[in-house]
Amino acid sequence: MRQNFIHKPVMVREVVEWLQPRDGSFLVDGTIGLGGHAAALLAASSPSGRLFGCDRDGDALEAAGRRLAEFAGRFELRRGNYAELRQWIERGTADSVLLDLGVSSPQLDRPERGFSFKSGPLDMRMDTRQTVTAATLVNEVSAEELAKIFWEFGGERDARRFARAIVRDREQRRFTTTTQLAELIERLSPRGKKTHPATQVFQALRICVNDEVSSLKTGLAGAIEILKRGGRLAVITFHSLEDRIVKDAARERARDYSYEGGVDVPELRQPRVPEIKILTRKAIKPGPTEVAENPRARSAQLRVFEKL
Ligand SMILES: C[S@@+](CC[C@H](N)C(=O)[O-])C[C@H]1O[C@@H](n2cnc3c(N)ncnc32)[C@H](O)[C@@H]1O
């Protein structure tokens, strides 16, 4: 069934300004979602700019295809993980790459995808062809492992207590719905929190189910590899874990020296040619008007890098 998907792309004007698409550019959008950024990039690179877009979510790709119909012949879409960009695109050929991380509004808004607290299956897969769901983790991994997931991917302070309670609870019944999990965490949490008490647990499960950390690390390396010299990479993150990974990877690749053993001793530095230049010393954030119009933009941060 065709559905009406709406997702307001974040910081579109800033993305276009920093990526500087022009006639003839070859643009890559690793998280095409509903095609909002892609449409702006294609419009700005008219009449002959081309775009390669991918997404793990089949529904998103269909919606992006419809959204981009007016640019027919100038774009190619592929279902898959942006971690594979270097397998699909020739090294040194892209003028710019965009990664707009995280989930889209339709993924969050449709209960049947299981990303939100609205009653739905405990799923959270971006790519529904994959077999591991949030329910698999919640019902099958050990308390220690669950606690590690909640802490590392969600920064949840009560990670151990929540994990132990889940394991106790699942001896009586399997967890199948988002509400079951959200209600258990709610019962274990003090009242009066500003956000839903299960926010971190849900974020952590989503990151783990979709293997987001390793996709991001591999994807950043691949994105830099496929860029031309002088080409630009823009990354929009939505939480501190993602932003730290982007910042650390960029600092490492922008350094003109390397060191071994994980400790930077100035006397032992080895000179080397940096791969990228960091164009945004501080992350760019959306302005107040955008945040007022689109609450999802509140936590967005944009960083831009240039390949040397
Ligand atoms: C914030 S939305 C992107 C919205 C898009 N920029 C737009 O203008 O509509 C993030 C999208 O990235 C996709 N995604 C997340 N991780 C991915 C990955 N590793 N590979 C491919 N797509 C991914 C999600 O399925 C989602 O559709």
Side-chain angles (χ1 to χ4, degrees):
M1 185 181 66
R2 180 182 282 203
Q3 309 205 22
N4 258 339
F5 291 131
I6 298 171
H7 172 92
K8 276 195 189 147
V10 169
M11 287 189 275
V12 178
R13 184 179 51 78
E14 291 85 345
V15 165
V16 171
E17 272 172 20
W18 281 96
L19 290 183
Q20 303 177 328
R22 52 178 71 93
D23 185 15
S25 295
F26 175 41
L27 313 154
V28 175
D29 186 341
T31 51
I32 200 156
L34 301 232
H37 287 106
L41 292 169
L42 279 163
S45 62
S46 288
S48 71
R50 288 173 306 123
L51 180 132
F52 175 95
C54 78
D55 204 292
R56 301 176 88 174
D57 187 323
D59 292 345
L61 273 187
E62 258 181 50
R66 290 197 295 275
R67 170 81 199 263
L68 300 178
E70 64 181 292
F71 304 103
R74 290 177 52 202
F75 67 90
E76 181 192 335
L77 299 181
R78 185 181 295 238
R79 185 169 184 192
N81 190 328
Y82 64 68
E84 291 173 59
L85 280 176
R86 53 154 75 106
Q87 268 97 275
W88 303 325
I89 292 169
E90 205 180 316
R91 199 187 173 98
T93 57
D95 291 287
S96 48
V97 179
L98 170 65
L99 298 177
D100 174 20
L101 304 176
V103 278
S104 66
S105 305
Q107 286 168 338
L108 281 173
D109 294 345
R110 290 171 55 215
E112 69 268 29
R113 300 298 302 268
F115 284 98
S116 70
F117 306 124
K118 291 176 200 143
S119 180
L122 196 49
D123 192 319
M124 302 194 194
R125 288 169 301 169
M126 288 180 184
D127 188 338
T128 48
R129 297 171 303 187
Q130 134 188 349
T131 46
V132 173
T133 65
T136 319
L137 299 178
V138 168
N139 289 305
E140 291 172 25
V141 311
S142 67
E144 290 72 30
E145 255 179 280
L146 270 181
K148 194 164 171 249
I149 292 170
F150 297 161
W151 171 245
E152 282 186 7
F153 299 147
E156 175 54 67
R157 285 163 185 270
D158 274 324
R160 283 210 181 136
R161 199 160 63 86
F162 290 168
R164 280 198 299 264
I166 289 171
V167 169
R168 254 196 324 271
D169 229 55
R170 76 189 188 197
E171 283 165 13
Q172 312 302 324
R173 51 166 194 168
R174 267 183 83 78
F175 281 86
T176 54
T177 66
T178 50
T179 348
Q180 256 178 296
L181 179 62
E183 282 174 5
L184 171 67
I185 304 294
E186 224 171 341
R187 279 202 302 280
L188 296 167
S189 306
R191 286 174 186 278
K193 274 191 161 187
K194 263 200 254 152
T195 51
H196 193 293
T199 302
Q200 272 102 331
V201 164
F202 271 56
Q203 173 188 304
L205 287 171
R206 187 203 93 203
I207 292 175
C208 188
V209 166
N210 296 292
D211 203 11
E212 291 180 36
V213 169
S214 68
S215 292
L216 181 54
K217 290 181 179 167
T218 315
L220 288 170
I224 294 168
E225 208 173 296
I226 62 169
L227 278 174
K228 285 180 185 161
R229 283 193 172 179
R232 290 183 173 187
L233 165 65
V235 189
I236 303 175
T237 61
F238 289 88
H239 55 78
S240 54
L241 171 63
E242 279 173 348
D243 193 51
R244 189 158 11 97
I245 293 170
V246 175
K247 233 170 21 186
D248 289 351
R251 278 204 197 119
E252 156 81 22
R253 288 161 189 280
R255 264 202 313 259
D256 59 2
Y257 62 87
S258 62
Y259 54 85
E260 276 179 17
V263 188
D264 181 6
V265 181
E267 295 75 34
L268 300 179
R269 288 175 180 173
Q270 294 292 323
R272 68 147 193 224
V273 183
E275 281 175 78
I276 59 165
K277 183 168 147 196
I278 299 171
L279 300 182
T280 45
R281 282 282 144 209
K282 273 185 148 186
I284 296 163
K285 298 186 179 170
T289 317
E290 178 168 3
V291 174
E293 282 170 5
N294 181 11
R296 233 192 110 254
R298 200 182 41 221
S299 44
Q301 307 206 71
L302 167 67
R303 295 184 187 273
V304 188
F305 314 104
E306 188 167 293
K307 172 132 168 208
L308 295 172

